Amino acid sequence: MGEESMRILVFSHKPEVRESIVNAIGRRPAADLSRVEYVEVSGISGVLSEMDAGNVDLAILDGEAQPTGGIGLCRQLKNEITDCPPIVVSVRRKDDRWLATWSQADAVLVHPLDPLTAAETVADVLRARRVPVVNG
């Protein structure tokens, strides 16, 4: 029986930020979770398309993305998508954590990313979201 991977959307206008997030979390954030497949997007249209399609188990949004940041985008998605997947917002300063909380983010990552903390945070959010899949 094959294990289905989970899809994590990573949004930032900067490729190096997306790469640092993917590298920090890795392909399997925890031993009790299946492997993850990353969908990297650099623009809002990509985020909206993936989220609207319902193909994402978790989204990680760069709070510093330009021209539209992940903090405002997170709040928009949480308010507009019924049963919105969990969203983690990454910020550059610890002092910006309150903004991510305002955005209704499920968790916050602070740069520079610590791989252990990043993987653990993502794993905790994915575990909280897991529901049994019923094929019919």
Side-chain angles (χ1 to χ4, degrees), residues 16-119:
E16 62 272 16
V17 172
R18 294 193 308 268
E19 181 182 15
S20 73
I21 292 169
V22 169
N23 288 338
I25 297 164
R27 294 290 172 192
R28 189 174 207 132
D32 64 317
L33 296 174
S34 60
R35 293 177 63 83
V36 296
E37 168 191 343
Y38 291 98
V39 179
E40 295 185 43
V41 294
S42 60
I44 301 302
S45 62
V47 174
L48 297 176
S49 175
E50 289 290 333
M51 295 294 277
D52 285 341
N55 296 330
V56 175
D57 294 297
L58 173 94
I60 302 173
L61 308 178
D62 178 8
E64 310 292 322
Q66 297 293 325
T68 303
I71 292 172
L73 182 57
C74 176
R75 189 165 175 94
Q76 175 186 343
L77 293 169
K78 288 292 191 173
N79 288 316
E80 293 180 0
I81 297 177
T82 303
D83 197 26
C84 184
I87 299 175
V88 175
V89 172
S90 69
V91 295
R92 299 270 175 257
R93 301 177 324 132
K94 287 183 182 179
D95 291 346
D96 289 338
R97 293 176 69 90
W98 75 271
L99 283 169
T101 301
W102 169 85
S103 76
Q104 302 172 20
D106 295 275
V108 182
L109 296 175
V110 180
H111 289 271
L113 298 176
D114 170 59
L116 293 175
T117 303

